[in-house]
Amino acid sequence: MKIVYHSKLKELARKLRNNSTKAEIKLWKELQNKQFYGYKFTRQKPVGNYILDFFCNKLSLAIEVDGYSHNFEDILDKDLEKEKFLNSLGITVLRFDDNEVMMDINNVLKEIEHYIFKVKDTHPSIHSF
């Protein structure tokens, strides 16, 4: 899928990559370099008017790692709007909070793995490298 985004987000995405949270760094260590079932994930990927924490184009999968601020109603509303937009592009969003990633990375990875196998079962043309 060709990803379209506003060019102004490119610099912001770079800044976010350079200032990742501890949870984002921990998850990135598991996803980088095609080491998770051979799928290429990128981090802080601009899509439309949004920046995704992690994205795998081949799987049409966005992974969001939410910090404390995502508990506030206005942020929750923005998250729902973002997810609705991504879903309209055929992108599935998996959300985890910082504590899940920091305290229970194995179950986070199992949930991502579950999504991958579900997609591979329903779309046999999608396979790892």
Side-chain angles (χ1 to χ4, degrees):
M1 152 187 2
K2 182 170 171 51
I3 302 297
V4 178
Y5 64 91
H6 286 83
S7 59
K8 292 179 182 180
L9 292 178
K10 194 171 185 178
E11 183 60 33
L12 177 58
R14 184 177 296 117
K15 287 179 183 178
L16 290 171
R17 278 192 298 275
N18 291 329
N19 295 298
S20 298
T21 66
K22 289 179 183 179
E24 289 171 341
I25 292 167
K26 186 170 187 164
L27 184 54
W28 180 240
K29 286 180 181 179
E30 302 294 332
L31 299 177
Q32 68 184 351
N33 301 323
K34 296 184 184 179
Q35 67 186 9
F36 200 74
Y37 292 95
Y39 289 99
K40 179 183 179 184
F41 283 86
T42 55
R43 60 189 180 122
Q44 304 304 338
K45 175 70 176 171
V47 175
N49 291 324
Y50 303 101
I51 298 176
L52 311 180
D53 291 336
F54 302 98
F55 181 65
C56 178
N57 194 357
K58 190 164 191 121
L59 295 168
S60 295
L61 174 63
I63 300 173
E64 293 289 296
V65 179
D66 297 336
Y68 175 74
S69 66
H70 290 264
N71 293 321
F72 297 111
E73 189 173 341
D74 60 327
I75 302 295
L76 283 171
D77 291 342
K78 289 178 183 178
D79 286 344
L80 290 172
E81 184 180 307
K82 178 180 183 178
E83 195 162 329
K84 185 177 178 181
F85 169 76
L86 295 170
N87 290 163
S88 76
L89 298 177
I91 297 171
T92 298
V93 179
L94 296 181
R95 278 190 186 280
F96 304 98
D97 67 41
D98 283 345
N99 289 331
E100 282 180 283
V101 174
M102 295 305 293
M103 306 302 286
D104 197 9
I105 189 74
N106 289 331
N107 277 325
V108 168
L109 295 173
K110 283 181 185 176
E111 192 168 333
I112 298 167
E113 175 186 69
H114 175 74
Y115 174 82
I116 289 171
F117 287 119
K118 182 177 82 171
V119 168
K120 285 173 70 171
D121 287 345
T122 57
H123 298 91
S125 61
I126 295 176
H127 57 283
S128 59
F129 299 99

